[in-house]
Amino acid sequence: KQEVTQIPAALSVPEGENLVLNCSFTDSAIYNLQWFRQDPGKGLTSLLLIQSSQREQTSGRLNASLDKSSGRSTLYIAASQPGDSATYLCAVFNTGGFKTIFGAGTRLFVKA
Amino acid sequence: AAGVIQSPRHLIKEKRETATLKCYPIPRHDTVYWYQQGPGQDPQFLISFYEKMQSDKGSIPDRFSAQQFSDYHSELNMSSLELGDSALYFCASSLGLRLAGGLNEQFFGPGTRLTVL
């Protein structure tokens, strides 16, 4: 059974700092891994998707990496801004099915 | 660009009543997913449909049922509502594994907030 864990659960950093969010999963038979952002009470915004054959994806100040063999992914945020404050969720889509398993998320607060 | 549409956005029901949530996927998307997110929790996968057939099932109660119609929109039917069903219900759509190079990137709707009193 796939389990997804995100560390840390919460993070508070000053503006301008570079930071790394971690996601680990127990079953390496994944089809892809997707990082989302969620603002309080709002929907999920897709940030980056990494296919199982890829090692990393970049979009602006965001870079996501994937090490399938070790069951880990990281989301790197460069030069953080107060507008980055949100909950960041990673989600794993397994092979052999249409089910997505989410981590509990990392709640990020960037102080101005 | 068109996004996933969910209706209604807010719904208040009494215990033991029924509710129907609707989801309209992004045009040309053939796969729909339903998720339930309780307060302070991560989204829990309920059920998915690919080309109008149920493709996978998660922690969906027997009181709930869903289907995908010929125009690819989907409905989640919830009966005998309980207080614990109060949550945000998200629908997501994707272009299935068969196409788009197999990306299957999911795009989420804004959610329906269901409150059961």
Side-chain angles (χ1 to χ4, degrees):
Chain A
K1 179 188 171 187
Q2 180 71 273
E3 292 181 4
V4 181
T5 304
Q6 290 188 245
I7 294 173
L11 183 63
S12 179
V13 301
E15 182 178 5
E17 193 161 299
N18 301 327
L19 55 103
V20 175
L21 308 182
N22 297 289
C23 172
S24 61
F25 46 94
T26 55
D27 185 350
S28 62
I30 67 170
Y31 191 84
N32 64 37
L33 184 147
Q34 203 165 346
W35 282 94
F36 293 90
R37 168 188 172 136
Q38 186 174 32
D39 294 287
K42 303 292 185 182
L44 283 75
T45 301
S46 177
L47 297 174
L48 289 164
L49 178 144
I50 311 178
Q51 292 181 272
S52 63
S53 58
Q54 297 175 323
R55 298 282 295 189
E56 67 176 338
Q57 283 287 328
T58 298
S59 175
R61 294 183 294 109
L62 305 178
N63 175 278
S65 68
L66 174 65
D67 184 342
K68 203 173 72 163
S69 60
S70 68
R72 294 181 183 180
S73 176
T74 62
L75 179 67
Y76 174 82
I77 303 177
S80 58
Q81 302 170 359
D84 294 332
S85 299
T87 296
Y88 290 81
L89 295 149
C90 80
V92 169
F93 188 85
N94 274 23
T95 58
F98 282 77
K99 182 181 296 185
T100 303
I101 307 299
F102 278 83
T106 294
R107 184 172 295 182
L108 173 65
F109 180 64
V110 181
K111 298 172 286 188
Chain B
V4 177
I5 297 172
Q6 290 188 247
S7 68
R9 295 292 308 279
H10 302 273
L11 191 58
I12 299 175
K13 291 286 185 177
E14 300 277 343
K15 275 171 43 178
R16 292 179 288 278
E17 286 190 323
T18 62
T20 298
L21 309 185
K22 296 185 179 182
C23 170
Y24 298 86
I26 291 172
R28 293 180 56 238
H29 280 193
D30 51 15
T31 307
V32 167
Y33 307 79
W34 285 98
Y35 298 88
Q36 177 191 59
Q37 187 176 32
Q41 298 180 1
D42 54 286
Q44 296 293 312
F45 171 77
L46 293 178
I47 196 167
S48 61
F49 293 88
Y50 171 60
E51 283 291 346
K52 293 155 281 185
M53 299 286 289
Q54 180 182 309
S55 51
D56 213 331
K57 202 170 179 181
S59 51
I60 183 169
D62 292 340
R63 299 178 287 107
F64 294 6
S65 65
Q67 58 181 323
Q68 186 179 32
F69 294 85
S70 58
D71 63 352
Y72 293 98
H73 94 273
S74 178
E75 295 183 4
L76 177 66
N77 298 295
M78 310 159 72
S79 62
S80 302
L81 287 169
E82 302 173 356
L83 296 179
D85 296 330
S86 296
L88 261 174
Y89 289 84
F90 288 108
C91 168
S93 75
S94 71
L95 195 53
L97 299 176
R98 208 167 34 88
L99 301 173
L103 277 179
N104 197 55
E105 182 174 5
Q106 294 186 48
F107 295 88
F108 278 69
T112 293
R113 184 175 295 280
L114 172 66
T115 302
V116 181
L117 303 175

